[in-house]
C-alpha cells in the first residue's frame, strides 16, 4: 500500500484549478497558494501572470513553464524541488491539471517518491458541460480528444458505440463538424448530444439536439472552446435487432479496421446473441 509522506518531511505538490472562462470563478485558495509556493509550474507563464494580476495575488516564488513540449524534461527538475522540501504549485491554462492537460506525469512521479500531493478544487469544463447538457449524469465517462486521423477516430468511436454511460469529449472547433458526423455514423444519427461552447464566457452557448442535426449545424464553422456530451447507448434488446442491423454493425466495425471474426464476436457480445447468429446474418447478406 502506498502512503504519502508528511509535508514536514518533504515538499508538497499542489494541483490548482483555474477558471475556464470567467476569472471570478477562481477558487479563493488559488491566490493564497500562488503566494505560498516556492515554485509555480504553469502551462503558460504569461497567462499565469495575467491571472495573478486579476486576482491581486503576489507570486514571489520561481515561475517555470510546464507544458506538453517540455513536460518530460522538466518533471525530474520539479521532483527534485519537491525532494528538497519545496511547495510546488501546478496550474494549467484552464481547469484542473492532468485532465487533458499537463500534470499526470508529475503526479505519477511525485507519488512514486512518496511526496504528498493535494489539490485546490476548481472549475472543470467536463463537469460544467455535463451538468448543462440535460443528458443523464448518474454515470458518465470522460474520453478527452478523439484521434485526428479518420481511421483511428472511427475505431475509437466503434469501441464506444455500445458504451451505456454518458460520454464527454473535448474537440477543436475546426474539427467539430467532422467529429460529430463520425459520431452520428458510429452511434446513430438520432443519438442525443449537447455541444457546449465557450463555457462561463461572454458568448457561452449550449446546443442540444441529435448528433446528425448538430453535425449539420456545425458545418459552417464554430468558434471557441468546445466540449461535447453524448448520451450513452440504450440497452440492447436482441428481440428488436434484425439481421440487417447485425450486418450493419459488423460492416461498421470492419470499416474501422477490425477483422470480420473480431467484428462478429464483438457485435454478438454487444447485443447479447450467439456469434453463430451474427455469422449467419453476414453470410446470408453476402449471398443475397
Amino acid at each position: 500500500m502506498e502512503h504519502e509522506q508528511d509535508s514536514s518531511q518533504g515538499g508538497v505538490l499542489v494541483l490548482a484549478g483555474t477558471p475556464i472562462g470567467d476569472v471570478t470563478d477562481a477558487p479563493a485558495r488559488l491566490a493564497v497558494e500562488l503566494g505560498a509556493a516556492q515554485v509555480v509550474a504553469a502551462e503558460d507563464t504569461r497567462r499565469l501572470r495575467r491571472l495573478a494580476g486579476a486576482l491581486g495575488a503576489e507570486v514571489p516564488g520561481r515561475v517555470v513553464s510546464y507544458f506538453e513540449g517540455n513536460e518530460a524534461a522538466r518533471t525530474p527538475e520539479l521532483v527534485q524541488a519537491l525532494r528538497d522540501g519545496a511547495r510546488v504549485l501546478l496550474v494549467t491554462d484552464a481547469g484542473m491539471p492532468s485532465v487533458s492537460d499537463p500534470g499526470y506525469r508529475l503526479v505519477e512521479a511525485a507519488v512514486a517518491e512518496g511526496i504528498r500531493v493535494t489539490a485546490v478544487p476548481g472549475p472543470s469544463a467536463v463537469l460544467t458541460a455535463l451538468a448543462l447538457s440535460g443528458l443523464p449524469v448518474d454515470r458518465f465517462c470522460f474520453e478527452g480528444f478523439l484521434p485526428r486521423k479518420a481511421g483511428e477516430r472511427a475505431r475509437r468511436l466503434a469501441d464506444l458505440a455500445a458504451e451505456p454511460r454518458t460520454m464527454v469529449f473535448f474537440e477543436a472547433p475546426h474539427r467539430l463538424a467532422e467529429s460529430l458526423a463520425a459520431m452520428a455514423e458510429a452511434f446513430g444519427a438520432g443519438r442525443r448530444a449537447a455541444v457546449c461552447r465557450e463555457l462561463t464566457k461572454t458568448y457561452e452557448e449550449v446546443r442540444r439536439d441529435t448528433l446528425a442535426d448538430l453535425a449539420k449545424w456545425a458545418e459552417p464553422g464554430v468558434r471557441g472552446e468546445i466540449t461535447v456530451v453524448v448520451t450513452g447507448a440504450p440497452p440492447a434488446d436482441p428481440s428488436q435487432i434484425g439481421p440487417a442491423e447485425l450486418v450493419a454493425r459488423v460492416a461498421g466495425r470492419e470499416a474501422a479496421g477490425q477483422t470480420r471474426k473480431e467484428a462478429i464476436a464483438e457485435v454478438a457480445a454487444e447485443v447479447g446473441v450467439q456469434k453463430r447468429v451474427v455469422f449467419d446474418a453476414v453470410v446470408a447478406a453476402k449471398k443475397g
Side-chain angles (χ1 to χ4, degrees):
M1 181 180 295
E2 295 177 346
H3 294 281
E4 294 176 345
Q5 67 187 41
D6 184 85
S7 59
S8 63
Q9 299 173 337
V12 180
L13 173 61
V14 183
L15 312 178
T18 54
I20 60 176
D22 191 332
V23 71
T24 61
D25 290 336
R29 270 183 58 204
L30 178 57
V32 175
E33 292 292 348
L34 285 169
Q38 281 81 50
V39 181
V40 179
E43 187 174 9
D44 186 321
T45 57
R46 290 170 298 180
R47 283 196 183 192
L48 169 69
R49 295 293 186 186
R50 288 197 296 269
L51 176 60
L55 298 176
E58 297 290 334
V59 187
R62 181 166 60 97
V63 177
V64 299
S65 63
Y66 190 73
F67 60 98
E68 185 178 359
N70 73 354
E71 191 176 0
R74 179 137 283 169
T75 293
E77 172 190 331
L78 294 174
V79 170
Q80 185 58 55
L82 289 164
R83 284 199 205 100
D84 293 341
R87 190 174 188 86
V88 175
L89 178 67
L90 176 62
V91 295
T92 58
D93 289 347
M96 286 298 297
S98 294
V99 183
S100 278
D101 278 324
Y104 170 75
R105 194 189 301 266
L106 180 56
V107 172
E108 182 183 39
V111 169
E113 292 285 333
I115 293 166
R116 183 184 171 211
V117 181
T118 187
V120 178
S124 165
V126 175
L127 296 180
T128 303
L130 188 68
L132 294 178
S133 70
L135 300 175
V137 298
D138 54 331
R139 297 180 66 217
F140 68 92
C141 59
F142 174 57
E143 292 296 326
F145 286 94
L146 288 169
R148 297 183 182 186
K149 295 182 179 179
E152 294 177 6
R153 180 176 58 220
R155 284 190 287 274
R156 171 79 67 81
L157 292 174
D159 288 340
L160 294 171
E163 171 58 62
R165 297 171 294 180
T166 296
M167 296 168 280
V168 184
F169 301 86
F170 287 160
E171 191 50 278
H174 63 278
R175 289 195 298 269
L176 179 62
E178 188 178 353
S179 291
L180 288 170
M183 289 180 187
E185 183 174 350
F187 301 159
R191 186 82 73 90
R192 302 294 300 180
V195 174
C196 304
R197 187 178 72 86
E198 294 291 88
L199 289 171
T200 77
K201 299 177 183 176
T202 302
Y203 298 104
E204 176 180 284
E205 180 181 19
V206 180
R207 302 280 301 199
R208 305 172 184 88
D209 213 324
T210 64
L211 283 169
D213 286 341
L214 286 170
K216 188 178 299 184
W217 162 77
E219 281 178 1
V222 178
R223 293 182 179 181
E225 300 286 336
I226 305 292
T227 306
V228 180
V229 186
V230 183
T231 192
D237 182 354
S239 66
Q240 300 298 315
I241 299 177
E245 173 66 15
L246 296 176
V247 172
R249 293 193 184 201
V250 170
R253 289 183 175 276
E254 285 187 281
Q258 290 187 334
T259 66
R260 180 164 299 171
K261 183 178 180 180
E262 291 171 337
I264 287 173
E266 290 200 9
V267 170
E270 181 180 296
V271 302
V273 299
Q274 293 183 344
K275 285 187 286 187
R276 186 72 194 183
V277 173
V278 183
F279 176 80
D280 288 347
V282 172
V283 171
K286 294 293 182 183
K287 289 181 179 178

